[in-house]
Structure formats: C-alpha cells, structure tokens
Amino acid sequence: MATVQIIYAHPDPAASRVNKTMVAAVDGAPGIAVHDLYAAYPDFYVDVGREKALLAAADIVVLQHPLYWYSAPALMKEWIDRVLERGWAYGKGGTALQGKKMLSAISAGGPPGAYEAEGYNKYSIDEFLRPFERTAVLCGMDWLPPFVFQGAYGTDDTKVSDHGQGYRAHLIQLQGEGE
Ligand SMILES: Cc1cc2nc3c(=O)[nH]c(=O)nc-3n(C[C@H](O)[C@H](O)[C@H](O)COP(=O)(O)O)c2cc1C
C-alpha cells in the first residue's frame, strides 16, 4: 500500500474548523500519517534530518494548511526552505524525492467565485499555488491536482464534515493508484 505523509501547518489549530476536521477524518487510516509542524516546532527550529526521514519513507507527500496571504503559514515556508536541500531534494545528486507524489490540501476563506479572473482575487487557486507546483516539479515529484476547500468563513458544519470525509476517501484512492 502506498504510504501518505501529511505535513500539516496551522498556527491556530484550536480555532480551526476545516483543517481540524480533515486531520480528525484521516486519523487511523492505514498508511496515512499526520505530522503537525506547529506542534513539533513551536520555536520554528525544524529538525531537518527527522523531516527528511519522514519524506523518504513516503510515497505521497501532502502539504496541508490554510491559505494565508495567498500562500502558506510561515512555518510551512520555513519547512520547505530548510528540508528541501540542494543535493538531497534537487540539484546534483538531489534525487531523494524523485517519483513521489505531491498533493496540496488547502482551505481558503474566499468562496469559489473569488478565485476567478472576474472575482476579487483575480486569479485561480491553481495560479496562486504555482510556487508549490514548481517546487514539487523541481524535486522530480508528480504534482497532483490540489484538494481545496473554499468559502471557509461561516460555512456550515455539514459541508466541513463532508469535506473531511472526502479528504479521507481521496487519500485512500490515491493510495490505491500508487500501488
Ligand atoms: C493571516 C491570515 C491570512 C489569510 N489569508 C487568506 C487568503 O489569502 N485567501 C483566503 O481565501 N483566505 C485567507 N485566510 C482565511 C483562511 O484561509 C481560512 O480562515 C482558513 O482556511 C479556514 O480553515 P480553518 O477552519 O482550518 O482555520 C486567511 C486567514 C488568516 C488568519
């Protein structure tokens, strides 16, 4: 069975509805592990060796976080900067991640209509995620279509709960495709 390593970053997990529900929904799923960056590194001092070991053991890497300022919370960026080292993740001899899959699982406050050419954010979620896409591709990874929750502000519990179950089902399906 393909293994999934979720790298999770939420600076305020107690206030989270969407991401908290997603994490709870995958709890106990065989071959799916969640690594909570803000819990592991409250001082932002990322243990690069530990993180590399997690990635090396995974077939599918998921970066899960709320969209913050059209990007990721700061610790996710710190994690990318420190862990995806030249000579390990990319560049000469940097083959550790080649052939693995990368999925971005994000939540956004803005509703779908906000992420269109005529909407108030002008660009699509795919466009905002291009730095993550190019990071994955530079590391020789297969970039998967992102798994996105939009319209987080004031959304109802059923939609959030359905999204959690959909997340679990989606990851299990990816595990099957990775065999
Ligand atoms: C600092 C900050 C920046 C945010 N930036 C964005 C943004 O750029 N686009 C957007 O759609 N929502 C943005 N939001 C809203 C969050 O993405 C939204 O609250 C979150 O995805 C909801 O997930 P949660 O229930 O797990 O916290 C931002 C929220 C905060 C606190």
Side-chain angles (χ1 to χ4, degrees):
M1 179 197 297
T3 57
V4 177
Q5 179 62 64
I6 299 172
I7 307 294
Y8 173 49
H10 198 307
D12 191 6
S16 166
R17 289 179 68 211
V18 180
N19 286 276
K20 187 166 69 179
T21 302
M22 292 166 72
V23 167
V26 300
D27 187 41
I32 301 178
V34 178
H35 180 47
D36 182 340
L37 293 183
Y38 277 90
Y41 306 117
D43 58 1
F44 270 54
Y45 196 77
V46 174
D47 180 341
V48 173
R50 176 186 177 193
E51 300 304 308
K52 283 179 171 176
L54 289 179
L55 295 183
D59 300 302
I60 303 166
V61 177
V62 181
L63 301 186
Q64 182 191 329
H65 58 88
L67 197 65
Y68 270 20
W69 289 108
Y70 308 109
S71 185
L75 184 51
M76 179 64 84
K77 181 61 166 61
E78 174 71 2
W79 181 92
I80 290 169
D81 293 351
R82 299 281 323 286
V83 179
L84 304 185
E85 281 179 351
R86 187 159 63 90
W88 186 79
Y90 72 100
K92 194 165 186 287
T95 58
L97 301 175
Q98 273 185 13
K100 297 180 188 292
K101 293 179 177 168
M102 170 79 88
L103 173 72
S104 197
I106 62 161
S107 59
Y115 288 94
E116 295 173 355
E118 305 304 320
Y120 65 79
N121 288 320
K122 199 172 167 191
Y123 302 109
S124 68
I125 291 281
D126 282 346
E127 288 173 293
F128 284 113
L129 289 177
R130 288 229 168 104
F132 297 92
E133 176 184 339
R134 295 316 304 168
T135 298
V137 172
L138 187 71
C139 295
M141 304 177 83
D142 295 329
W143 173 253
L144 301 173
F147 191 79
V148 184
F149 187 96
Q150 290 176 269
Y153 293 129
T155 190
D156 61 76
D157 289 344
T158 306
K159 201 174 161 208
V160 173
S161 152
D162 287 351
H163 186 71
Q165 290 310 310
Y167 186 43
R168 183 184 174 104
H170 187 61
L171 295 185
I172 290 171
Q173 188 188 335
L174 289 177
Q175 282 181 301
E177 290 169 8
E179 281 169 5

